[in-house]
Amino acid sequence: MAADDYRLLQRSFFARDALDVARDLLGKLLRRDGVIVRITEVEAYRHPNDSANHCRFGLTERNAAMWGPPGRAYVYLCYGIHNMLNLSTNEEGEGAAVLIRSAEPVLGLTEIQRRRGATTTGPTLLTGPGKVGQALQLDTSWSHHPVTEPGGLEALDAPAVGEILAGPRVGIDFAAPADRDAPWRLAVAGTKWVSAPKGLRPV
DNA sequence: AACACGATGGACT
DNA sequence: GTCCATCGTGTTA
């Protein structure tokens, strides 16, 4: 299949609750120039009433892309080092997004290795949100970029996946217990391209 | 105007 | 298992 045969996801795909979008994003593709990856693990950050969500204190300059139209990138810097990719969901005015936690190389493996500074072809190449950001060469200036339009970073359609695993989100111990325990981390079953298989179980 | 800390990853014991 | 790099953001004063 030629790269030009891939179809962009539509804005309406993202104009739904983050948890629904998260589930449907599994198996979909992200393209940046000659690199294509398949999404294998995601987390939903919902609106409202999600105390793990960056939008929990309202609109700020950093999280503005989450409040904006659906289908936009929200890239934020974590620990001063890692650029984390989210895709905005819900309707404009609702602060919600899906964090892309892991992916699997589809095209451009050697370029991904170069960007990551790694030689492995195994899951450690691309499991973890910081690695995804690095492989797609993203930084915070990519926030607000529409992934439903050609050019730059694109979200591409692909067949739905089969079985799905779910479990609590990672690294949100600061959140309220109910939000901490909510099974809003989703992953493709049967793949090794998942950052933390522990804690995931079939839905 | 200061300050504490994070939706992590890699190196090391 | 532990340690910590590294800096922008949001909170608090």
Side-chain angles (χ1 to χ4, degrees):
Chain A
M1 179 189 272
D4 292 340
D5 293 338
Y6 292 114
R7 298 193 328 266
L8 285 162
L9 288 177
Q10 297 182 13
R11 176 191 156 115
S12 58
F13 177 93
F14 295 97
R16 300 176 287 141
D17 180 84
L19 188 57
D20 295 321
V21 177
R23 185 205 319 116
D24 294 342
L25 271 175
L26 293 174
K28 299 295 187 278
L29 308 176
L30 293 170
R31 173 164 61 185
R32 171 89 197 276
D33 302 321
V35 165
I36 298 179
V37 301
R38 177 173 173 262
I39 298 170
T40 51
E41 181 189 357
V42 294
E43 283 177 358
Y45 287 86
R46 304 175 79 184
H47 176 96
N49 302 326
D50 179 0
S51 61
N53 189 326
H54 281 181
C55 296
R56 63 189 177 281
F57 298 121
L59 173 67
T60 67
E61 189 170 348
R62 177 177 70 151
N63 68 29
M66 287 183 70
W67 297 94
R72 305 291 182 95
Y74 165 49
V75 182
Y76 74 95
L77 185 63
C78 186
Y79 290 96
I81 304 170
H82 307 294
N83 288 290
M84 317 277 266
L85 171 63
N86 301 252
L87 302 178
S88 65
T89 66
N90 297 57
E91 297 293 345
E92 186 166 359
E94 299 175 46
V98 174
L99 170 68
I100 310 300
R101 280 198 61 88
S102 295
E104 165 179 36
V106 171
L107 190 69
L109 174 64
T110 55
E111 175 62 14
I112 294 171
Q113 289 173 323
R114 191 188 68 74
R115 293 176 181 178
R116 289 267 301 111
T119 55
T120 181
T121 58
T124 58
L125 182 64
L126 211 45
T127 53
K131 299 175 186 178
V132 173
Q134 196 176 18
L136 295 172
Q137 285 196 305
L138 301 175
D139 58 57
T140 56
S141 70
W142 281 82
S143 281
H144 301 285
H145 173 87
V147 298
T148 56
E149 295 171 21
L153 177 68
E154 303 170 341
L156 307 172
D157 199 10
V161 300
E163 194 180 357
I164 289 174
L165 307 178
R169 294 170 292 179
V170 176
I172 57 159
D173 291 347
F174 57 85
D179 299 326
R180 232 172 32 211
D181 300 338
W184 295 346
R185 179 163 72 106
L186 306 176
V188 177
T191 179
K192 291 180 177 173
W193 296 82
V194 172
S195 66
K198 187 180 169 187
L200 294 172
R201 60 178 191 78
V203 178

